[in-house]
Amino acid sequence: MNLNEVIQKQRDFAFSGKAKDLSFRRGALKKLKQILLENEQALYQAIHQDFKKSQFETYMTELSLIHHEINLNLKKLKRWSRPQRVWTNLANFPGRSFIMPQPYGHTLIIGAWNYPFQLTLVPLISAVAAGNNCILKPSELSSNASKILAQLINTHFDPAFLYVAEGGAEVTQELLSHKFDKIFFTGSTAIGKLVAKAAAEHLTPVTLELGGKSPCIVLADCDLKIAAQRIAWGKCLNAGQTCVAPDYVLVERSFYEAFLSELKAQMSKVVGPNPLQSESYLRIINARHFQRLEKLIDQDKVYAGGTTNAAENFIEPTILRDIKFSDEVMKEEIFGPILPVIPFDRLDEVIMEIKQRPHPLALYVFGKNEKRISRILQETSFGGGAVNDVLIHLSNSRLPFGGVGTSGMGAYHGEHGFKNFSHYKSILSRPSWFELPIKYAPYKGWKLKIIRLLLGS
Ligand code: NAD
């Protein structure tokens, strides 16, 4: 079946309303869960072939989140799908007001390569739970993950309901030329703009899960060891190819040398003495990204790490010291295991610097002083973040996950995902036995007095 035929079949399927049925939604989620469990080894193998990701990390950062979302949606989708009653205002008395979630219909999910399973399947689970059908377009860069997703979904589900379209930019562009009822995109800010433009053509609602440079602020009163350990872990996970990885660290100057030394020690603990041989440390996804990252390593500023191996697309976790905001490494999102560490003197400077830059997807603060932490959280704009840790906010599905400004629009995970794939219809239902005569002309002075009273000014 070619792509045009799939799209037509999906449109017809959405029109039929079949996916709205609650037992259909549940059945599809249960089936997906079973397929993923039965093929778990094949999923591990595919992602290992793509960039040497270990089974442990794949489970922790991909499969566990997917299974959690399936279980949560199975448990809650009946409640989330119910119309919600809200109060009716005096002017509309007597009446009943309620909000009805309604699936958008035919949806498109476009994924990034760095977490190829969860970035496609978590939104897909929300789309299905909310009653939509869907075309999934995984990234061609993690080609083995894309292949296994296509194999599993396309052989086990009716393509009119769920279909994986494999391929590169040309396939995404072809898809985007069609009208969908909702588009969910994860990827870079640059491609996010193209997706938003294409969606605007059909006035399709769009969620953009994008990237950016996520800062990590280390205050001098933090627990040094824990801060260094957690930052090292967050940067080495997925070899730094994580949208919410700490992109750079800002450290109070009085604490700078102590922090650098502890960070170096913790980094080598996280990846072991020889990361090239480590089974737990990943490769860079391809030669293009390897070369891009290699250029960012200014050997004069390397404090730890810095070795590379082009044949293996390997980059050692690298700490850069005495970096300035004007340096090359501070211009674009790094998206790899290179961590610039910048000293600062005053919190004002740091807040100002972050405020002047594009809004990051994540921000992290390490410290104990509640007043200073709260000041940072309140004065800066970012997607989400953590205090005294990194990355972990996205593992709590009660927290909406998404960016702001150039790091994205819209959010998902848990109920937020269900809401993301639903339109909320507002209904005010009135009985016929009572009608307020004053709303009809002729408009007399006394009527204005009453209407002012009723409408509240
Ligand atoms: P990307 O934007 O290059 O690709 C994303 C998707 O867009 C892929 O499926 C790709 O095939 C498609 N695409 C690429 N070029 C295209 C074009 N010219 N026209 C149409 N489609 C095109 O992003 P990536 O390299 O896969 O991922 C890295 C970026 O994604 C980073 O910026 C990272 O921060 C961000 N990211 C964000 C999140 C999040 O949840 N906010 C998660 C992961 C990655």
Side-chain angles (χ1 to χ4, degrees):
M1 208 184 311
N2 70 33
L3 206 47
N4 282 334
E5 283 168 349
V6 174
I7 292 170
Q8 190 50 52
K9 277 191 181 298
Q10 287 227 342
R11 288 222 68 79
D12 295 344
F13 191 90
F15 192 79
S16 77
K18 201 174 159 193
K20 286 185 185 176
D21 181 64
L22 288 194
S23 57
F24 181 91
R25 303 186 204 184
R26 267 203 215 94
L29 291 178
K30 283 184 186 158
K31 187 169 166 182
L32 179 64
K33 181 176 171 173
Q34 195 187 340
I35 293 165
L36 294 174
L37 288 173
E38 281 169 3
N39 294 280
E40 197 162 316
Q41 290 308 321
L43 295 171
Y44 290 136
Q45 260 170 28
I47 203 162
H48 191 267
Q49 281 166 2
D50 279 331
F51 53 154
K52 267 200 87 194
K53 186 156 168 159
S54 69
Q55 187 167 327
F56 181 87
E57 225 177 284
T58 303
Y59 183 77
M60 181 175 66
T61 64
E62 299 249 37
L63 302 189
S64 68
L65 298 176
I66 294 166
H67 284 293
H68 169 75
E69 286 287 337
I70 294 180
N71 295 340
L72 182 70
N73 276 276
L74 281 172
K75 201 166 141 199
K76 301 278 186 173
L77 78 86
K78 189 171 173 195
R79 185 188 307 169
W80 294 344
S81 313
R82 269 202 293 258
Q84 298 149 30
R85 277 288 292 273
V86 292
W87 282 104
T88 299
N89 54 341
L90 186 62
N92 287 308
F93 181 82
R96 274 188 323 121
S97 301
F98 50 96
I99 304 168
M100 286 178 73
Q102 174 196 286
Y104 279 114
H106 182 210
T107 66
L108 171 65
I109 295 170
I110 304 167
W113 55 265
N114 58 328
Y115 291 92
F117 298 139
Q118 61 118 329
L119 295 177
T120 48
L121 294 182
V122 170
L124 178 120
I125 291 159
S126 296
V128 169
N132 301 278
N133 60 342
C134 176
I135 291 186
L136 203 66
K137 167 39 197 96
S139 170
E140 69 284 13
L141 267 59
S142 44
S143 58
N144 292 293
S146 169
K147 204 183 295 165
I148 185 86
L149 279 175
Q151 199 181 311
L152 296 182
I153 303 271
N154 295 352
T155 51
H156 289 93
F157 288 96
D158 177 357
F161 170 51
L162 296 181
Y163 183 77
V164 174
E166 281 201 275
E170 68 300 336
V171 172
T172 319
Q173 283 157 11
E174 164 67 20
L175 286 164
L176 289 171
S177 68
H178 293 268
K179 183 182 182 313
F180 284 86
D181 299 317
K182 163 88 196 181
I183 298 174
F184 187 104
F185 172 81
T186 304
S188 61
T189 303
I191 306 300
K193 286 183 189 172
L194 299 181
V195 172
K197 274 187 197 154
E201 197 56 45
H202 300 289
L203 285 182
T204 299
V206 60
T207 296
L208 300 175
E209 296 283 339
L210 311 177
K213 288 184 88 62
S214 298
C216 180
I217 303 169
V218 179
L219 303 173
D221 65 348
C222 75
D223 182 314
L224 173 62
K225 186 169 169 239
I226 284 289
Q229 189 177 25
R230 291 178 180 173
I231 294 167
W233 171 80
K235 190 67 179 182
C236 294
L237 196 80
N238 226 37
Q241 300 163 109
T242 302
C243 55
V244 285
D247 187 274
Y248 59 99
V249 188
L250 298 155
V251 186
E252 278 198 300
R253 199 178 294 278
S254 60
F255 196 54
Y256 190 62
E257 297 302 333
F259 177 77
L260 278 171
S261 142
E262 188 63 33
L263 185 64
K264 182 178 175 176
Q266 293 298 337
M267 274 228 178
S268 82
K269 266 195 195 163
V270 169
V271 291
N274 187 355
L276 184 59
Q277 304 303 330
S278 167
E279 280 304 311
S280 315
Y281 186 64
L282 283 77
R283 297 297 177 259
I284 303 307
I285 190 69
N286 62 18
R288 177 169 65 85
H289 280 289
F290 169 83
Q291 284 153 14
R292 176 184 66 77
L293 287 164
E294 201 180 29
K295 276 193 212 134
L296 295 178
I297 303 176
D298 176 347
Q299 289 297 339
D300 293 341
K301 297 196 171 168
V302 169
Y303 178 78
T307 63
T308 62
N309 180 329
E312 288 237 18
N313 287 338
F314 165 85
I315 295 194
E316 189 183 4
T318 298
I319 302 170
L320 300 179
R321 66 167 298 153
D322 299 324
I323 293 293
K324 295 192 188 66
F325 277 100
S326 53
D327 287 339
E328 205 52 40
V329 74
M330 291 306 293
K331 293 199 174 136
E332 300 281 339
E333 179 184 5
I334 296 171
F335 217 56
I338 302 167
L339 189 57
V341 184
I342 306 174
F344 72 87
D345 295 302
R346 290 172 41 240
L347 198 53
D348 286 345
E349 288 168 29
V350 163
I351 291 175
M352 195 49 84
E353 196 64 58
I354 293 169
K355 278 172 80 170
Q356 281 169 357
R357 302 176 139 248
H359 298 331
L361 181 60
L363 181 144
Y364 307 109
V365 193
F366 285 82
K368 293 198 183 86
N369 184 319
E370 293 289 339
K371 242 179 158 173
R372 295 180 89 202
I373 293 170
S374 151
R375 210 189 134 199
I376 296 166
L377 298 184
Q378 291 199 19
E379 290 187 26
T380 56
S381 185
F382 55 93
V387 175
N388 289 318
D389 212 330
V390 295
L391 316 189
I392 42 95
H393 58 297
L394 68 79
S395 64
N396 180 356
S397 58
R398 288 192 177 84
L399 295 173
F401 178 67
V404 57
T406 52
S407 58
M409 57 174 86
Y412 71 129
H413 287 184
E415 190 176 4
H416 309 285
F418 184 95
K419 287 184 171 165
N420 192 311
F421 280 94
S422 305
H423 165 65
Y424 283 79
K425 288 187 283 204
S426 293
I427 310 290
L428 208 155
S429 170
R430 306 202 64 212
S432 307
W433 56 263
F434 176 78
E435 181 61 331
L436 201 63
I438 61 157
K439 75 181 186 193
Y440 298 101
Y443 302 131
K444 300 271 172 41
W446 63 269
K447 283 189 175 179
L448 180 62
K449 275 186 199 150
I450 293 177
I451 208 86
R452 285 182 76 111
L453 212 67
L454 282 176
L455 298 184
S457 67

